[in-house]
Amino acid sequence: MLTCKELVAHSSDYLDGQMTLRQRLAVRAHLAMCGNCRRFIRQMKLTQAVIRQMPDEELPELDALAERLAQNRRNQG
């Protein structure tokens, strides 16, 4: 059976459908018994969904906002 560390290491392959049947079954067996890894995989799926919805083009205003937020954080610390 997979350990949590092994599942995390192979999670991208699992989510991308890049595993053999035997590997997928091992992941599913682990997920059936490990709530922490089920939460991890759910979070990874949510992250993938959010990233897929992001625009492909660069948005300078978002970069400027990120820089302002980083600057504010540096000034506060």
Side-chain angles (χ1 to χ4, degrees):
M1 184 152 159
L2 288 177
T3 65
C4 295
K5 187 175 182 177
E6 290 170 329
L7 183 128
V8 169
H10 298 289
S11 61
S12 292
D13 291 337
Y14 174 70
L15 293 171
D16 294 339
Q18 301 295 318
M19 292 186 137
T20 65
L21 176 60
R22 173 180 256 163
Q23 291 169 321
R24 282 194 316 271
L25 290 174
V27 168
R28 288 182 183 179
H30 182 92
L31 292 174
M33 305 200 46
C34 183
N36 289 331
C37 286
R38 281 194 304 273
R39 279 190 295 279
F40 173 76
I41 292 294
R42 271 196 310 270
Q43 185 63 44
M44 291 291 291
K45 286 180 180 180
L46 178 61
T47 301
Q48 283 183 334
V50 169
I51 289 171
R52 279 190 207 105
Q53 292 183 10
M54 292 178 68
D56 289 334
E57 69 276 357
E58 291 186 27
L59 299 173
E61 64 272 9
L62 289 180
D63 292 334
L65 174 61
E67 180 55 36
R68 281 196 315 273
L69 291 172
Q71 186 63 37
N72 285 344
R73 184 173 208 155
R74 284 190 293 269
N75 291 340
Q76 292 175 358

